[in-house]
Amino acid sequence: MDDDEQPQLYGLDKELAEKRAAKYDPKREAEAQAYLEQLAGQPFAGASFHESLKDGVLLCKAMNTIVPEMPIKIVVSKMPFKQMENIGAFLDRMEKVGVPAHERFLTVDLYEAKDLNQVVNSIFSLSRHAAKRGFQGTVLGPKLTEKNERQFTEEQLRQAAAMPSKLMSFSTSVSSGLTFSGRREIGGK
């Protein structure tokens, strides 16, 4: 199926596809494309983002630059299962780099163009986690947070326990204006 040939969607599928399309940002796609081209050392060959990445070859080349000690064997083929194997190998390596599962795309998200926004988000996440791992390259998106552990003395903990909480400082009650006495007449008597 070509990029132009999309199946007719109805109901919830159509609403979800519209919602995904509304979230898609071409600027982020361009940043992800430039990042992958820089890593792979070659420009996108296809007419679209999806078409260029669908076979997984460019993704694997980019990953081999990030993790040269664990190279992915790249298979250049027109057979769908070989192309999906390339994508799967890339996703496995993303896990080893430290990209959490909720930030990785699924093979069908890319291969069938189900959710290209998630593919772009995964590439952004890969750049951040690769940098955290020590890779010297471009970092896309916001910096990853770092652990910031605090140490409190026993005296500080006692003072905090003695302070009234903000919830306790409100003197009014939620039900102060409500009364439940008597019967309520609906019929007008």
Side-chain angles (χ1 to χ4, degrees):
M1 184 182 292
D2 293 335
D3 285 342
D4 298 334
E5 287 182 36
Q6 293 295 327
Q8 188 66 35
L9 300 174
Y10 300 97
L12 184 59
D13 288 335
K14 183 178 180 182
E15 289 176 28
L16 291 173
E18 289 170 352
K19 189 174 181 180
R20 279 193 300 270
K23 286 183 182 179
Y24 198 74
D25 185 357
K27 290 177 188 172
R28 285 175 52 91
E29 176 191 297
E31 287 179 58
Q33 179 176 339
Y35 178 72
L36 291 174
E37 287 175 340
Q38 176 189 12
L39 291 176
Q42 69 183 64
F44 273 30
S48 70
F49 186 77
H50 168 248
E51 191 179 304
S52 298
L53 297 180
K54 183 178 177 179
D55 64 1
V57 172
L58 199 74
L59 292 172
C60 290
K61 286 181 179 180
M63 186 59 77
N64 285 344
T65 302
I66 293 172
V67 191
E69 65 275 8
M70 296 185 295
I72 299 172
K73 183 179 179 224
I74 302 169
V75 179
V76 179
S77 176
K78 295 285 184 196
M79 292 188 284
F81 69 92
K82 289 292 185 185
Q83 294 176 344
M84 286 188 267
E85 280 180 8
N86 285 339
I87 296 169
F90 172 78
L91 292 170
D92 288 342
R93 206 61 90 238
M94 277 183 88
E95 183 177 4
K96 287 183 172 70
V97 169
V99 178
H102 67 276
E103 292 183 2
R104 293 190 304 261
F105 64 90
L106 301 174
T107 303
V108 295
D109 290 341
L110 173 57
Y111 192 78
E112 296 177 6
K114 292 282 186 191
D115 192 354
L116 292 177
N117 194 43
Q118 185 61 31
V119 175
V120 171
N121 290 340
S122 296
I123 293 166
F124 270 64
S125 182
L126 172 65
S127 77
R128 292 190 298 268
H129 285 87
K132 181 180 177 183
R133 192 174 184 267
F135 179 72
Q136 299 296 317
T138 307
V139 178
L140 303 176
K143 182 182 167 194
L144 285 175
T145 59
E146 295 176 7
K147 189 174 185 178
N148 187 1
E149 200 168 315
R150 309 285 172 117
Q151 299 294 326
F152 296 102
T153 64
E154 287 297 321
E155 178 62 26
Q156 289 172 321
L157 292 173
R158 270 195 302 280
Q159 287 176 349
M163 291 180 85
S165 73
K166 289 186 180 189
L167 292 176
M168 299 295 279
S169 65
F170 292 109
S171 61
T172 59
S173 174
V174 174
S175 62
S176 63
L178 301 176
T179 57
F180 294 104
S181 60
R183 279 175 53 188
R184 182 172 173 203
E185 295 294 331
I186 298 178
K189 285 191 176 184

